[in-house]
Amino acid sequence: MNKKNTQKQFSRIFKHLLLITFLILPIISFGKNATSKHSFEGKWITTAEFENLPKTNVFHRQLDKQSAKRVKELAKKIQNRHILFRKTFNLKSIPQNAKLFFSADDYAKIYINGKFVAMGPTAGYNFHYFYHEIDVSKFLKKGKNTIAVHSYYQGYINRVWVSGDYRHGFICDIIANNKTLLKTDSSWKYATHTAFTDAKSKIGYETQFAEHYNASAPEVNFQLPTYNDSSWQNALLVKNPDYTLAPSPLPLLVFEQIKPTKIKRISPNKIFIDFGAMYVGYFEMSATGNKGDTIETRFAQELNDDGSIRYKMRANCTYQEYFTLSGKRDTLNQFDFKSFRYAEIILPNNVEVDMQSLKLISRHMPFKLKAKNKYAGDKKAEQVWNLCVRSLQYGVQEQIQDCMDREKGYYLGDGTYTILTYCLLTKDFAPMRKLIDDFLRTSFIDRGLVTCANCSFIQEIAEYPLMMFMLMPVLAERPEDKEFLRERMSKFKDILDYYKTSYAQQNGLLSNLDKWCVVEWPKNWRDGYDVDITQGKVCTTMHNVINAWYIGAIRAYNKSAKILGEPEYPNEKQLTQAFYDTFYDPQKKLFKDSATSSHISFPANVYPYFMGLYPNEECRKNIIAMIDRDRLTKVMLFASFPTIAGLYRDGEHKLVYELLTDDRTWRRMIADNATATFEGWHKSAKWNTSLFHLALTYAAIFMIEDFNIQVLDIR
């Protein structure tokens, strides 16, 4: 090793030591704020039904139809199990700083001494499964205490949880002053919650079970300390649990009680409720009637033309559920959440509803807006800003979901845009770091990653992993995130290597992809993009958009590598030239859709424009002229972002403003009475439009005062 290399190595070691020093010092000085990993004393507990079930591998490549069918058939054997656990314990005194550490598979709601405490966990894979920590001192008392848990195993193969794998259980510790006050073991009691049955209406893409809640079931009020659980069975320990538990990097959800803005009795048997805006959460009400009387509850995001609520939603969800009374005063208890604004209650004769009890329990991540709107005072722009900000405030859950109704999917493509917006508005980048890690972990399914993380539904969209590369320079520019990104550079490089070795042709560009390339969604918003990109088949055409994303990902990687002082990914210039040689039309000075088509579309030009892939100034100006002419009438969810970002980068602020405040885009949603961003410019933009969808919140990015576009400039 020569002297120069030795000096470089020493310099790097010194920098790492310095970094470690700065990382350790805050932990030593401010240990109470540090999050250290908890080693559970408690054991995973479950029921007799799950004790001896073999764990099922639900993961496979998307095009492996045989495996997909096998997994779905196995999952159907056990579904929709609401399982309760209880434990009483004594305390000689009220402890200070008592911490509850808990996790559950699939999910759980926890009560102490009859009071709701928390719910979770954030979804994850068994080899990196999340647990949460919460201070429960205020819930505890001297003497006898009761903890009650409502756990849930859904069993669907969907985008919500890693379910259908026969894994169910709950684990917890309560620790105070380094002493274990409580832990899960076989002394806990369990029972099936028979109040919850399937209401037989499908919600979304097997996203959730519609609930029929029977208030006369013996398990009702199981959370109260006075409840008698003497007939319950002892919990069983999970045999050979294969979880590796990790602390959730994000805080627990927060809850708000939303009272109706309007209540109207349509008839003696029908009540209409408007909560004033769209929320995500649970409906709550109390009613009195005869035992067996059944109330029908309906929920909707919009109204029909006759003023009734559209509970058979355009997002292919039927929000129709039931509430059967016990003969006493009963309160509706819903487990799973929905996104809605309106409710209708259909009553049997002689049932009385407590109008003061009608409420919506909103759930969302803690949200604190720290960015400012540079268009403050401009009514048109402020309406768009407020729509986007409110959507993120009330829409973001334990992880970024595309919509809160049809899928509840943790999508990488949608999520890249949404997480960027969320973090820039709140100046909190922990959610971005989590998203990156969550999706990098999906490499165990496929080296090129999958579309939805932390779930059992398998889909592969070709450009989604490449879109995530756009987040790299954002973190690279942040001193506090440089080391985080440096530690993951090899994983990002491996994704590029995967695309190169799997799909690169002789000229280096990609073709023959067995991953679906969406380009823009839905199909009718692709401006006639002349490539057969049908989902579920191999695309043999060498086409523009996937290669623009591929080269853009390499550019984002190399920009980050330069900032971090790491080696760059090779052949960027050669690939850029191959892109020009293959897709550039020198006569029209615009880009074609593919190597075999002369068609020129909006997506085939705005993606390269955003990536800085244009061979000359005339081409750049022609693309801007195309945008100025067509505005955003040819594209929607995915291509609108690079369109606006490219213009913002090039100083075309007047045109950016016009796109953001165009009556055909975000303001079209507002004209459709939106209180949350839609899955398109208007309600009928696609056949199953979700009216609470987070992807299009990214308009707010380009309204932030002093926004530094350099973090998105990968030229």
Side-chain angles (χ1 to χ4, degrees):
M1 184 181 290
N2 60 38
K3 183 177 180 182
K4 188 175 181 180
N5 287 337
T6 303
Q7 289 175 336
K8 282 185 177 179
Q9 186 176 15
F10 177 81
S11 177
R12 179 167 291 184
I13 291 170
F14 178 76
K15 287 179 181 178
H16 280 281
L17 287 172
L18 190 62
L19 178 65
I20 290 169
T21 302
F22 279 106
L23 287 172
I24 291 175
L25 278 176
I27 295 173
I28 296 172
S29 303
F30 308 100
K32 64 180 180 180
N33 296 321
T35 301
S36 57
K37 188 171 181 179
H38 175 69
S39 180
F40 278 83
E41 291 189 38
K43 305 296 182 183
W44 281 94
I45 56 175
T46 189
T47 72
E49 183 178 25
F50 285 92
E51 181 195 19
N52 294 311
L53 285 177
K55 299 176 181 68
T56 301
N57 176 23
V58 297
F59 305 109
H60 54 85
R61 291 294 304 276
Q62 182 180 359
L63 294 185
D64 183 355
K65 304 299 183 184
Q66 188 173 355
S67 292
K69 183 179 180 181
R70 174 187 60 81
V71 166
K72 198 160 189 177
E73 288 302 314
L74 284 170
K76 287 180 180 178
K77 294 181 179 180
I78 299 181
Q79 292 183 330
N80 199 28
R81 297 294 195 268
H82 290 263
I83 298 165
L84 307 176
F85 296 104
R86 274 174 57 94
K87 175 70 176 177
T88 58
F89 59 104
N90 289 293
L91 296 175
K92 293 181 180 180
S93 60
I94 301 175
Q96 299 297 313
N97 300 318
K99 297 292 181 66
L100 168 68
F101 299 86
F102 78 93
S103 189
D105 194 348
D106 298 333
Y107 204 68
K109 295 183 180 181
I110 302 172
Y111 305 82
I112 294 179
N113 293 326
K115 301 289 181 63
F116 172 74
V117 174
M119 64 174 65
T122 302
Y125 301 112
N126 66 293
F127 62 86
H128 191 98
Y129 206 74
F130 293 106
Y131 68 83
H132 293 280
E133 172 186 345
I134 183 172
D135 192 312
V136 292
S137 304
K138 65 181 179 181
F139 298 100
L140 299 173
K141 62 182 181 178
K142 183 179 179 180
K144 183 179 178 181
N145 290 263
T146 302
I147 183 169
V149 178
H150 183 166
S151 72
Y152 185 56
Y153 175 85
Q154 188 190 65
Y156 272 148
I157 302 297
N158 66 14
R159 300 158 176 85
V160 185
W161 292 301
V162 181
S163 198
D165 58 356
Y166 298 164
R167 287 182 175 87
H168 165 264
F170 177 74
I171 188 171
C172 82
D173 289 339
I174 296 182
I175 309 291
N177 301 318
N178 297 319
K179 182 181 179 181
T180 302
L181 306 181
L182 176 74
K183 61 183 179 181
T184 43
D185 56 29
S186 58
S187 67
W188 285 54
K189 297 290 192 73
Y190 85 87
T192 298
H193 201 327
T194 60
F196 287 85
T197 56
D198 183 3
K200 304 301 181 186
S201 61
K202 181 179 178 181
I203 296 183
Y205 296 158
E206 297 192 334
T207 301
Q208 67 189 85
F209 287 89
E211 296 174 358
H212 184 168
Y213 181 73
N214 188 341
S216 63
E219 298 80 23
V220 169
N221 294 324
F222 79 99
Q223 75 277 13
L224 299 180
T226 54
Y227 181 86
N228 183 1
D229 62 9
S230 60
S231 64
W232 289 20
Q233 301 179 62
N234 281 86
L236 299 169
L237 300 184
V238 173
K239 292 183 177 179
N240 303 315
D242 57 351
Y243 300 95
T244 300
L245 291 169
S248 173
L250 303 183
L252 285 158
L253 297 177
V254 295
F255 302 87
E256 296 181 41
Q257 286 195 8
I258 309 298
K259 299 294 287 184
T261 58
K262 181 180 181 181
I263 302 175
K264 183 178 181 181
R265 191 174 281 273
I266 305 298
S267 70
N269 299 93
K270 182 182 286 189
I271 300 172
F272 168 86
I273 306 163
D274 180 2
F275 289 99
M278 199 85 78
Y279 293 94
V280 179
Y282 316 91
F283 178 68
E284 190 173 298
M285 64 174 288
S286 297
T288 306
N290 296 320
K291 183 176 182 179
D293 284 344
T294 298
I295 300 169
E296 180 182 340
T297 56
R298 301 170 177 176
F299 309 95
Q301 299 176 333
E302 60 180 316
L303 301 178
N304 292 311
D305 292 339
D306 64 359
S308 62
I309 73 168
R310 186 170 176 166
Y311 68 96
K312 294 183 178 179
M313 294 162 45
R314 66 178 71 239
N316 289 347
C317 299
T318 299
Y319 278 169
Q320 181 182 29
E321 298 180 305
Y322 300 93
F323 175 24
T324 297
L325 304 179
S326 70
K328 303 175 182 178
R329 187 180 191 274
D330 298 311
T331 298
L332 176 62
N333 175 18
Q334 294 193 315
F335 187 86
D336 211 342
F337 68 85
K338 295 175 285 292
S339 64
F340 63 100
R341 170 177 175 172
Y342 303 99
E344 267 180 1
I345 306 172
I346 315 299
L347 301 169
N349 293 330
N350 302 316
V351 169
E352 294 294 328
V353 174
D354 178 357
M355 294 298 190
Q356 296 300 314
S357 71
L358 301 175
K359 62 175 72 74
L360 188 158
I361 309 299
S362 168
R363 50 171 271 169
H364 56 84
M365 279 286 292
F367 181 89
K368 186 173 182 180
L369 179 64
K370 293 187 178 179
K372 294 182 179 179
N373 178 11
K374 69 178 177 181
Y375 295 115
D378 182 318
K379 183 179 179 181
K380 291 171 66 174
E382 275 194 338
Q383 287 180 325
V384 176
W385 169 270
N386 291 337
L387 177 68
C388 295
V389 169
R390 187 193 178 280
S391 301
L392 291 169
Q393 178 179 356
Y394 286 103
V396 174
Q397 302 300 306
E398 288 137 322
Q399 52 196 21
I400 293 291
Q401 295 170 338
D402 62 334
C403 63
M404 270 55 68
D405 39 64
R406 187 184 66 243
E407 296 162 342
K408 300 182 180 178
Y410 189 15
Y411 274 87
L412 179 52
D414 308 59
T416 293
Y417 290 156
T418 305
I419 205 71
L420 177 64
T421 312
Y422 184 91
C423 295
L424 290 173
L425 289 176
T426 63
K427 302 190 187 304
D428 176 8
F429 286 79
M432 184 179 291
R433 296 190 293 269
K434 180 181 184 296
L435 178 137
I436 288 171
D437 278 346
D438 284 344
F439 279 94
L440 289 177
R441 275 191 286 272
T442 70
S443 62
F444 83 96
I445 304 170
D446 180 56
R447 189 178 161 200
L449 310 190
V450 296
T451 296
C452 295
N454 297 343
C455 68
S456 53
F457 180 82
I458 306 300
Q459 187 178 33
E460 298 177 58
I461 297 179
E463 66 263 51
Y464 278 16
L466 304 174
M467 291 171 70
M468 185 172 66
F469 279 72
M470 301 301 112
L471 302 177
M472 295 179 71
V474 178
L475 295 179
E477 296 280 4
R478 290 172 46 80
E480 57 268 58
D481 287 326
K482 288 182 187 294
E483 195 60 26
F484 169 88
L485 186 60
R486 191 191 310 278
E487 291 172 356
R488 287 149 183 82
M489 289 294 283
S490 62
K491 295 181 180 179
F492 278 102
K493 179 180 179 296
D494 190 62
I495 297 170
L496 296 176
D497 288 344
Y498 166 83
Y499 276 82
K500 180 179 179 180
T501 57
S502 301
Y503 309 116
Q505 306 303 303
Q506 191 171 359
N507 64 356
L509 299 182
L510 308 182
S511 188
N512 298 324
L513 273 86
D514 58 358
K515 291 174 179 278
W516 177 40
C517 187
V518 71
V519 175
E520 178 58 289
W521 188 248
K523 180 180 180 180
N524 56 301
W525 289 88
R526 292 177 186 149
D527 192 26
Y529 191 72
D530 189 21
V531 183
D532 183 1
I533 51 173
T534 304
Q535 182 175 194
K537 62 183 290 187
V538 176
C539 179
T540 58
T541 304
M542 182 176 289
H543 67 99
N544 178 310
V545 171
I546 187 59
N547 282 289
W549 275 117
Y550 177 52
I551 298 172
I554 292 172
R555 289 186 164 194
Y557 180 95
N558 287 345
K559 178 179 178 180
S560 304
K562 287 179 182 178
I563 295 171
L564 299 176
E566 298 290 333
E568 296 180 39
Y569 200 80
N571 299 324
E572 178 189 323
K573 290 183 178 179
Q574 293 90 325
L575 285 170
T576 300
Q577 188 59 52
F579 187 89
Y580 298 155
D581 293 343
T582 305
F583 303 117
Y584 184 61
D585 185 327
Q587 279 73 44
K588 297 180 180 179
K589 294 184 171 52
L590 289 167
F591 290 103
K592 303 177 296 181
D593 295 349
S594 78
T596 58
S597 174
S598 60
H599 184 261
I600 291 173
S601 66
F602 199 95
N605 283 275
V606 295
Y607 284 117
Y609 172 57
F610 170 59
M611 312 299 177
L613 289 170
Y614 41 82
N616 51 60
E617 181 64 12
E618 194 169 359
C619 174
R620 186 184 73 86
K621 289 182 177 179
N622 284 347
I623 296 174
I624 294 175
M626 174 189 284
I627 298 169
D628 195 13
R629 181 192 69 219
D630 295 333
R631 302 297 164 121
L632 299 179
T633 61
K634 300 286 184 72
V635 290
M636 200 165 61
L637 280 174
F638 297 113
S640 297
F641 177 89
T643 302
I644 300 171
L647 292 172
Y648 195 107
R649 175 199 63 206
D650 284 356
E652 299 284 343
H653 297 299
K654 179 176 180 293
L655 184 51
V656 167
Y657 172 82
E658 291 171 358
L659 295 182
L660 294 173
T661 58
D662 193 312
D663 288 339
R664 295 166 293 183
T665 57
W666 283 274
R667 288 180 53 77
R668 173 66 189 275
M669 298 182 207
I670 294 168
D672 274 352
N673 299 313
T675 58
T677 43
F678 295 168
E679 191 186 7
W681 301 134
H682 49 86
K683 290 181 178 180
S684 56
K686 57 195 297 281
W687 67 92
N688 59 355
T689 307
S690 168
L691 301 186
F692 201 152
H693 194 284
L694 297 181
L696 283 170
T697 56
Y698 56 67
I701 291 175
F702 308 103
M703 297 179 161
I704 295 174
E705 187 176 83
D706 300 324
F707 171 57
N708 179 14
I709 190 62
Q710 296 302 316
V711 298
L712 299 181
D713 186 358
I714 58 171
R715 291 177 299 177

